[in-house]
């Protein structure tokens, strides 16, 4: 369970420490752990950091084809529905917003 919680940027807690917005998990009818989910605003940063780690280099240093693939991944994960999502992704990839939109249109 810990790898999953870490992958989404959550925090494991004792169920007694859970707040109303936390997710309390039960096993065989007994509350065993609570998960505090990350703020949505932190999600894009986490996704970008994960992509950078997976590619083994700063995103801005990757080739165009890889950047296009990353933009498709970001779109599928909902990154561009966040306020300033396109701008943040463009900055991380070292491209303009216009380029992000071109990559998105190209994928269609």
């Amino acid at each position: 369970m810990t790898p999953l919680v870490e992958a989404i940027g959550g925090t494991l807690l004792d169920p007694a420490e859970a707040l109303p917005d936390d997710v309390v998990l039960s096993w065989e009818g007994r509350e065993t752990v609570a998960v505090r989910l990350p703020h949505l605003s932190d999600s894009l940063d986490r996704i970008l950091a994960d992509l950078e780690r997976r590619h083994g280099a700063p995103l801005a240093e990757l080739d165009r084809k890889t950047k296009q693939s990353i933009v498709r991944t970001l779109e599928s994960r909902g990154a561009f529905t966040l306020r300033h999502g396109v701008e943040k992704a463009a900055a991380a990839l070292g491209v303009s917003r216009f380029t992000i939109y071109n990559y998105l249109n190209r994928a269609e």
Side-chain angles (χ1 to χ4, degrees):
M1 177 178 357
T2 300
L4 175 61
V5 172
E6 288 176 355
I8 63 170
T11 306
L12 290 174
L13 305 166
D14 185 281
E17 299 173 22
L19 299 175
D21 288 338
D22 294 335
V23 178
V24 178
L25 303 174
S26 299
W27 180 260
E28 296 181 352
R30 195 178 115 245
E31 292 182 346
T32 56
V33 68
V35 178
R36 181 157 299 149
L37 300 173
H39 292 282
L40 189 55
S41 60
D42 298 333
S43 296
L44 182 52
D45 290 331
R46 183 170 304 288
I47 292 168
L48 290 168
D50 179 58
L51 287 166
E52 192 167 276
R53 183 182 50 74
R54 287 181 188 200
H55 288 280
L59 299 179
E61 294 178 5
L62 301 174
D63 62 61
R64 185 178 54 135
K65 184 176 179 180
T66 304
K67 288 179 182 183
Q68 290 171 335
S69 174
I70 287 170
V71 168
R72 286 190 297 275
T73 298
L74 291 170
E75 181 183 32
S76 72
R77 295 191 63 188
F80 302 129
T81 61
L82 298 171
R83 185 174 184 197
H84 303 298
V86 171
E87 292 86 348
K88 189 174 273 194
L93 291 166
V95 300
S96 68
R97 289 181 336 165
F98 182 75
T99 299
I100 296 289
Y101 290 120
N102 279 340
Y103 289 172
L104 291 169
N105 288 334
R106 184 176 208 143
E108 293 176 352

